[in-house]
């Protein structure tokens, strides 16, 4: 609810908003590369070497957001 005071009195109005979507808990290789602003090849290389925590599912990489945040905090 919005309330404005003017010289003529009060004006009451309504406001609405749409909350931002919650970030995904599991990220694809492309999602993680965009989030960290690095090349997908770099993410794949780090994941394949075991340095970056991730799992292959159906031949595609998946990364848990919390695990990536922990990994970044340790760097």
């Amino acid at each position: 609810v919005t309330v404005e005071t003017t010289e003529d009195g009060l004006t009451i109005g309504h406001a609405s908003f749409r909350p931002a979507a919650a970030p995904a808990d599991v990220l694809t290789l492309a999602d993680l590369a965009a989030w960290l602003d690095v090349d997908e090849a770099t993410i794949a290389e780090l994941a394949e070497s075991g340095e970056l925590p991730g799992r292959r599912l159906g031949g595609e990489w998946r990364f848990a957001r919390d695990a990536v945040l922990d990994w970044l905090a340790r760097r």
Side-chain angles (χ1 to χ4, degrees):
V1 175
T2 303
V3 178
E4 296 180 26
T5 56
T6 64
E7 291 178 23
D8 298 337
L10 295 175
T11 302
I12 299 175
H14 296 278
S16 65
F17 70 96
R18 199 173 339 165
D25 290 333
V26 177
L27 304 166
T28 64
L29 188 131
D31 294 336
L32 185 56
W35 185 43
L36 298 179
D37 194 25
V38 297
D39 292 333
E40 288 184 31
T42 301
I43 297 296
E45 183 179 313
L46 289 168
E48 290 187 28
S49 72
E51 184 176 342
L52 178 64
R55 298 271 189 272
R56 274 196 181 268
L57 296 174
E60 295 183 13
W61 283 101
R62 296 291 186 265
F63 305 90
R65 181 180 295 276
D66 288 343
V68 172
L69 288 172
D70 289 343
W71 176 76
L72 286 170
R74 291 190 312 260
R75 298 196 95 224

